[in-house]
Amino acid sequence: MKNLTVISCKDHAEIGSVTAKLIAEQIKKNPNLVLGLPTGKTPIPVYQELCKMYDDGNLDCSQVTTFNLDEYLHRGKGDPDSYYTFMHKNLFDHIPFKESYFPNAKLYNIGRSCNNYDVLIEEHGGIDLQILGVGSNGHIAFNEPSNDISDMTHLVALTFQTISDNANKFYNGDINKVPRYAISMGIRQILKAKSIILIANGEEKAKAIYDTLEGAVTPRVPASLLRTHQDVTFIIDEKAASLLD
Ligand code: GLP
């Protein structure tokens, strides 16, 4: 049976505590959980809450394996603006996990790198729980609006909208500093996760959330394709939900 749940939260902080609680419950049920993780501002309170749980002795991730959704092309360990660095700063430097993987965006042969990532995920039995944010244009991971549904891990050219969003969030508005390409898990791959949680907060996500939940199911709004999944939960604050009926 299909399970699509929408949980509405007061604000961003509540999204953090509700989502972290759901993740912790899954880890308790299955200490060997394979967890898919996003970057961005939205998941920061989730990661803070998980760190708090760990500090209080209420969370053990020592057998949990993580796979990040994406990485900027040519970035990785040692680059201050890589997703690798972001995740270490916000989560992995604080909580020990069994293993944490990222697409290798520094490999000369990008096709091989993408394929290696897909194989690695398969070898771990696939993703049990995938956490997602959403772009203001409805993108998930770095799957931008398109006429086709992307398949597995692949190289992506970012849209102007995403470059400009990221410039404002992380590069003081300087679009010239934002990487133009990234390696991202594909949509079909994301949809293979056993369960999915998408989190969104703020007015700037209201249109994307409206299109995702009440618009057509189409790769033009990548997040809307989540409505085809068997077990998906949307955790959104009042501002992100403001255009919903
Ligand atoms: C980037 C990431 C996505 C993320 C999105 C929204 O494009 N690749 O995974 O969901 O930004 O980020 P934020 O949470 O900062 O709004």
Side-chain angles (χ1 to χ4, degrees):
M1 208 182 61
K2 239 180 165 152
N3 178 20
L4 189 157
T5 309
V6 179
I7 300 178
S8 34
C9 293
K10 196 168 59 320
D11 52 23
H12 198 186
E14 196 177 58
I15 292 179
S17 50
V18 169
T19 309
K21 211 169 135 221
L22 290 177
I23 296 172
E25 276 169 16
Q26 292 303 311
I27 294 173
K28 250 202 186 113
K29 270 197 225 153
N30 173 13
N32 299 304
L33 195 81
V34 179
L35 182 60
L37 293 173
T39 50
K41 292 211 160 164
T42 318
I44 288 177
V46 180
Y47 297 152
Q48 286 169 340
E49 203 59 42
L50 290 174
C51 291
K52 233 188 273 164
M53 287 177 178
Y54 173 75
D55 286 343
D56 294 342
N58 295 325
L59 184 69
D60 177 5
C61 296
S62 59
Q63 298 310 309
V64 174
T65 301
T66 67
F67 283 93
N68 259 80
L69 284 166
D70 41 21
E71 178 59 279
Y72 286 125
L73 187 62
H74 303 320
R75 302 293 203 278
K77 190 175 178 179
D79 298 305
D81 61 351
S82 68
Y83 282 171
Y84 178 98
T85 301
F86 174 95
M87 288 305 298
H88 279 263
K89 208 169 101 196
N90 288 290
L91 192 66
F92 301 145
D93 287 351
H94 203 88
I95 304 181
F97 283 82
K98 185 178 177 198
E99 301 162 304
S100 292
Y101 295 106
F102 293 80
N104 182 349
K106 287 191 166 181
L107 205 66
Y108 180 69
N109 186 334
I110 291 301
R112 177 177 299 168
S113 170
C114 293
N115 190 250
N116 289 348
Y117 204 53
D118 297 337
V119 168
L120 205 58
I121 294 172
E122 281 303 309
E123 282 173 356
H124 282 77
I127 296 197
D128 294 310
L129 172 61
Q130 177 67 59
I131 313 297
L132 294 172
V134 63
S136 62
N137 60 2
H139 77 239
I140 47 176
F142 268 131
N143 294 283
E144 298 283 24
S146 156
N147 291 327
D148 306 307
I149 302 179
S150 61
D151 216 2
M152 305 302 276
T153 304
H154 59 296
L155 181 66
V156 187
L158 307 187
T159 60
F160 180 75
Q161 171 82 62
T162 299
I163 292 168
S164 126
D165 285 352
N166 287 355
N168 293 332
K169 278 185 283 187
F170 298 111
Y171 294 87
N172 290 324
D174 186 350
I175 58 165
N176 295 318
K177 292 203 171 132
V178 186
R180 298 292 197 258
Y181 293 91
I183 294 185
S184 173
M185 280 191 205
I187 290 181
R188 286 194 210 280
Q189 190 173 26
I190 291 170
L191 290 172
K192 279 188 181 179
K194 293 181 191 88
S195 61
I196 297 178
I197 295 176
L198 181 143
I199 54 178
N201 74 288
E203 271 157 23
E204 65 278 17
K205 299 293 169 69
K207 171 82 168 65
I209 289 299
Y210 172 80
D211 290 343
T212 295
L213 288 171
E214 294 187 8
V217 173
T218 162
R220 301 299 314 159
V221 181
S224 70
L225 296 164
L226 298 173
R227 281 160 52 203
T228 65
H229 194 267
Q230 288 304 303
D231 183 10
V232 59
T233 303
F234 294 87
I235 305 180
I236 50 186
D237 76 349
E238 284 170 6
K239 287 182 179 158
S242 60
L243 297 177
L244 295 178
D245 264 347

